[in-house]
Amino acid sequence: MLCVKRKNLIFLGAPGSGKGTQANFLSDKFGYEHISTGDLLRAEIVSGSVLGSRVKRVMDSGDLVTDELVIELLRGNLDLESCYYIFDGFPRNLKQVQTLDKEILDGRDYLVIYFKVDTEKLVNRIVNRRVSEDGKHIYNLLTNPPKVEGLCDVTGSNLVHRKDDTEEVVRNRMSVFIKEIEPMLEFYSTKGNLLEINADLGIEEVSKLVSGQL
Ligand code: AMP
């Protein structure tokens, strides 16, 4: 699909804030390429590489993998000359923010959307999250269940409960997020390209709010 929009988008938000769901929807609707560093890392694990087994331990604990590794993986999967991207799950700290701004996007225009959610509600949301085997279709057993239990509506594949979507790991992921997010928001707010969305609303309302800004 051709990219019809003229700006790259960066989606920020706590785990479970709906970034991935919105990125899937908007990439289909507007022709963005959706790039998720979490998906790239999970693909590395599935490939059975040495790198994959190293990152698996870190991901299973809910901590961040090293900046160098994620940045290298991201660079290897981008084609900024031909496409406009939705960055989902990257950047995750100020170092990644600066690298993306100066070295990767390197003067290209971009808009940052922060999916703001009451973090108390999130643990429940994530523990009930299920994803298709390719990670592209996201469900919630309470708010957005599949039509047939355990199966993806689109691909028919089994739905997976991610190992890092258990309560203990989610709590660690949330505290990592809370520790890193403020300086990131400050960077973008100073730059003047930050938009905050109330992501406590339903999936369709959030989509409308985001679409209206593009
Ligand atoms: P996600 O699918 O975005 O929730 O990411 C799942 C896990 O992958 C995170 O908890 C981290 O361990 C790792 N990860 C994903 N993106 C990054 C990133 N930009 N920097 C460091 N670690 C990441």
Side-chain angles (χ1 to χ4, degrees):
M1 190 189 289
L2 281 176
C3 298
V4 292
K5 296 290 173 177
R6 294 285 167 267
K7 251 186 208 183
N8 292 286
L9 301 178
I10 296 174
F11 282 6
L12 299 182
S17 56
K19 305 183 297 290
T21 300
Q22 296 298 333
N24 285 336
F25 174 75
L26 292 166
S27 54
D28 283 351
K29 186 167 171 192
F30 295 117
Y32 288 99
E33 284 296 320
H34 174 195
I35 189 152
S36 149
T37 41
D39 285 350
L40 293 178
L41 289 163
R42 281 183 285 277
E44 201 59 47
I45 294 174
V46 170
S47 78
S49 68
V50 177
L51 182 68
S53 64
R54 265 181 27 222
V55 299
K56 184 173 186 318
R57 263 175 280 137
V58 181
M59 287 175 78
D60 284 351
S61 73
D63 289 336
L64 296 183
V65 309
T66 63
D67 294 332
E68 291 69 24
L69 193 152
V70 182
I71 289 166
E72 191 185 325
L73 198 59
L74 182 74
R75 278 185 191 280
N77 283 277
L78 285 177
D79 178 5
L80 287 160
E81 294 301 316
S82 321
C83 276
Y84 291 91
Y85 285 89
I86 296 177
F87 291 87
D88 165 16
F90 187 98
R92 282 286 230 280
N93 58 30
L94 190 58
K95 157 91 172 108
Q96 295 182 10
V97 164
Q98 290 163 338
T99 305
L100 184 59
D101 181 77
K102 297 201 173 58
E103 296 171 27
I104 300 179
L105 289 173
D106 190 24
R108 290 180 174 84
D109 207 6
Y110 64 91
L111 174 69
V112 183
I113 300 184
Y114 175 41
F115 293 80
K116 195 168 192 305
V117 196
D118 175 356
T119 44
E120 286 303 307
K121 292 183 188 161
L122 284 179
V123 175
N124 199 24
R125 219 195 247 191
I126 302 189
V127 170
N128 285 293
R129 175 161 70 181
R130 298 293 181 273
V131 295
S132 57
E133 280 170 349
D134 63 5
K136 293 207 166 94
H137 306 283
I138 304 169
Y139 300 86
N140 184 288
L141 298 183
L142 305 177
T143 56
N144 180 30
K147 293 194 179 83
V148 178
E149 197 184 322
L151 296 181
C152 174
D153 294 351
V154 184
T155 63
S157 81
N158 287 325
L159 293 181
V160 179
H161 186 199
R162 278 171 45 180
K163 211 170 167 185
D164 60 349
D165 277 353
T166 56
E167 183 163 348
E168 192 195 343
V169 179
V170 169
R171 291 204 182 275
N172 185 34
R173 289 164 68 200
M174 218 54 88
S175 65
V176 169
F177 170 79
I178 290 165
K179 182 171 148 258
E180 304 289 353
I181 190 67
E182 282 309 323
M184 298 168 65
L185 293 177
E186 204 173 305
F187 178 99
Y188 291 128
S189 142
T190 306
K191 208 172 154 70
N193 57 358
L194 177 66
L195 181 76
E196 199 171 290
I197 294 272
N198 173 7
D200 280 324
L201 300 169
I203 294 174
E204 284 181 14
E205 283 163 290
V206 173
S207 294
K208 271 192 210 145
L209 283 177
V210 178
S211 303
Q213 300 292 334
L214 302 180

